[in-house]
Amino acid sequence: MKRVALGECCEIVSGATPKSAVAEYWGGDISWATPADLSVLERAYIGSTPRKLTAAGLASCSARILPVGSVLLSSRAPIGHVAINTIPMATNQGFKSLIPKAGLVDAKYLYHWLSSHKEYLQSLGNGATFKEVSKATVARVEVPLPSVQEQRRIAAILDQADELRTKRRQALAYLNALPQALFREMFDDCASEPVPLAELCTRITDGTHQSPTWAQTGHPFLFVSNIASGEIDLETSKFISDETHAELTARCPIEPGDVLYSTVGSYGVPAVVRTARKFAFQRHIAHLKPHRELIHPEFLWVQMASPAVRRQADAAARGAAQKTVNLKDIKAFYVIAPPMEQQLRFVVRMQAIRALGLRAQDGLEALLELRESLRTSAFTGSLRESADTFNLGI
């Protein structure tokens, strides 16, 4: 498959920004994109922008309006966001946008190639304060170009994979929101009187306050980032020996059914311990041991993630650079503990939802692997004749 430099198959256009202090340059009807506008997109297309320019603003900075079907490529802060515009628009200076030349390159094919080579594009950046890819560098980037007909076939297959991925992500987001919706439905009118969390736990403490002695292998040592998803992720680069683990957990063993709760930075995220595997964690994670006769661990987990508890955490958080919720405040959080029979009914339904969510997550990961496989095949000329061959169905 022949490779062609982007400068030969596209016109490359740099963006620009009018002076922000001049009011008459802003608030017009000319869409104006920034890299941040692309970072929130779930699909390939961009059809609106939060900020707009006037004709005077466009003229003041010599910016250019990109025709529909251009490929926007962010070249700094950060490098590698890609989208296709569905309306005419200008961009700020953080772009080196590409206007495909008719008969040479299909915009959607180019979008997929650039999206799949983000790390390569980032490696081309230069600069001390922040990295940027120059217009000349973008022009020299070579892309494999089969016939336009073949490009469109490849793009259609990759579009299908992306569409399935989007649908799976939407389904997963819906499932992840269901436990809180179920909690509100069952307990918003609960007659149970809220009580301080300390009354429903046998112990509330935190992880080690000292940096442990590290080992090459052994038991995982976790940080706040390891529970940021609401599940405990034992993948880490830090390990401790069996002896160190025993020392760190002697005062409060970590057991299945305990609840961890982040207290610094990304505070307010709970996760239930569902494994008997040994691990330890830093002091920025609170360690809650539910009183099993009073409150079910899964019920406590969902409640600790509820808006009611989050509001209490927000009110208690202190600090400027990294807000912190201390143990004293956590112990005083008000939560409910209805009769265990009601809690168990909730837990059964919630666990069924969680099982569906785990299946959806597995499906999403499989689709991500499939998409990468398709991209590799597509850009090396080995993509087969039909997407059906790759079993793209959900």
Side-chain angles (χ1 to χ4, degrees):
M1 190 185 303
K2 67 177 181 179
R3 300 182 70 86
V4 179
L6 287 176
E8 296 177 20
C9 61
C10 300
E11 182 183 359
I12 303 172
V13 179
S14 299
T17 301
K19 292 182 178 179
S20 58
V22 182
E24 59 262 33
Y25 291 167
W26 303 92
D29 56 6
I30 300 171
S31 294
W32 181 77
T34 70
D37 300 331
L38 271 60
S39 67
V40 297
L41 296 177
E42 291 191 359
R43 304 197 180 206
Y45 298 102
I46 180 169
S48 62
T49 60
R51 302 191 71 185
K52 299 183 186 298
L53 306 180
T54 63
L58 186 73
S60 73
C61 62
S62 301
R64 179 173 169 186
I65 296 180
L66 299 167
V68 171
S70 299
V71 181
L72 281 60
L73 171 64
S74 66
S75 54
R76 70 176 189 181
I79 297 168
H81 287 323
V82 189
I84 298 172
N85 60 315
T86 60
I87 60 171
M89 67 176 58
T91 72
N92 76 355
Q93 66 273 25
F95 287 89
K96 301 297 181 290
S97 297
L98 309 166
I99 303 176
K101 293 182 180 178
L104 290 180
V105 62
D106 177 76
K108 204 62 182 294
Y109 173 88
L110 185 56
Y111 162 83
H112 283 295
W113 189 89
L114 292 169
S115 296
S116 67
H117 289 78
K118 186 173 183 178
E119 289 186 4
Y120 165 66
L121 295 170
Q122 291 173 339
S123 74
L124 301 176
N126 286 307
T129 306
F130 54 82
K131 300 291 186 181
E132 180 172 12
V133 182
S134 69
K135 185 175 180 179
T137 299
V138 172
R140 289 194 296 268
V141 171
E142 293 186 344
V143 297
L145 285 189
S147 68
V148 172
Q149 181 180 1
E150 176 66 4
Q151 291 177 42
R152 289 171 179 161
R153 185 186 74 85
I154 289 171
I157 293 173
L158 296 179
D159 280 352
Q160 186 181 359
D162 275 356
E163 182 66 22
L164 290 172
R165 180 177 62 96
T166 298
K167 288 180 179 178
R168 181 72 74 175
R169 289 178 64 182
Q170 291 171 342
L172 183 59
Y174 175 73
L175 287 169
N176 287 340
L178 274 182
Q180 287 300 325
L182 178 62
F183 184 86
R184 291 193 298 271
E185 176 189 328
M186 293 183 65
F187 300 106
D188 262 4
D189 298 324
C190 179
S192 179
E193 192 71 23
V195 298
L197 180 61
E199 296 184 13
L200 301 175
C201 295
T202 59
R203 187 162 189 173
I204 298 177
T205 183
D206 55 12
T208 177
H209 287 228
Q210 303 297 323
S211 180
T213 301
W214 303 118
Q216 291 296 317
T217 59
H219 305 302
F221 187 87
L222 309 186
F223 300 86
V224 168
S225 58
N226 291 97
I227 66 170
S229 68
E231 299 284 345
I232 296 174
D233 180 7
L234 294 176
E235 292 296 320
T236 180
S237 60
K238 296 292 187 180
F239 300 92
I240 54 175
S241 68
D242 198 51
E243 293 76 16
T244 300
H245 175 270
E247 292 174 6
L248 296 181
T249 60
R251 65 188 177 96
C252 189
I254 303 166
E255 302 167 310
D258 290 353
V259 176
L260 307 185
Y261 186 78
S262 61
T263 64
V264 177
S266 300
Y267 65 85
V269 179
V272 177
V273 178
R274 296 191 174 92
T275 179
R277 183 178 173 184
K278 293 180 179 180
F279 66 92
F281 47 88
Q282 65 173 167
R283 66 184 178 88
H284 295 162
I285 298 175
H287 185 181
L288 284 57
K289 280 193 168 293
H291 192 307
R292 304 298 181 88
E293 294 182 1
L294 299 178
I295 192 162
H296 193 285
E298 301 283 347
F299 183 83
L300 177 60
W301 171 55
V302 174
Q303 191 170 183
M304 292 299 290
S306 69
V309 171
R310 179 68 196 202
R311 286 192 294 270
Q312 295 178 70
D314 289 341
R318 299 290 182 269
Q322 281 198 315
K323 288 189 176 294
T324 300
V325 182
N326 64 44
L327 291 180
K328 180 180 178 181
D329 292 321
I330 293 171
K331 292 175 181 179
F333 285 174
Y334 276 89
V335 295
I336 61 171
M340 186 57 67
E341 181 182 350
Q342 295 180 33
Q343 294 185 43
L344 289 174
R345 283 202 299 269
F346 168 80
V347 169
V348 168
R349 295 173 66 182
M350 188 274 295
Q351 287 179 332
I353 294 169
R354 181 173 179 273
L356 290 173
L358 291 174
R359 287 174 55 191
Q361 181 63 47
D362 289 342
L364 176 60
E365 291 173 1
L367 282 172
L368 290 173
E369 292 178 5
L370 176 59
R371 184 184 66 167
E372 292 311 306
S373 175
L374 287 171
R375 283 174 162 179
T376 299
S377 300
F379 302 126
T380 56
S382 59
L383 189 61
R384 301 179 191 177
E385 286 299 317
S386 171
D388 295 336
T389 306
F390 293 87
N391 189 26
L392 286 179
I394 296 179

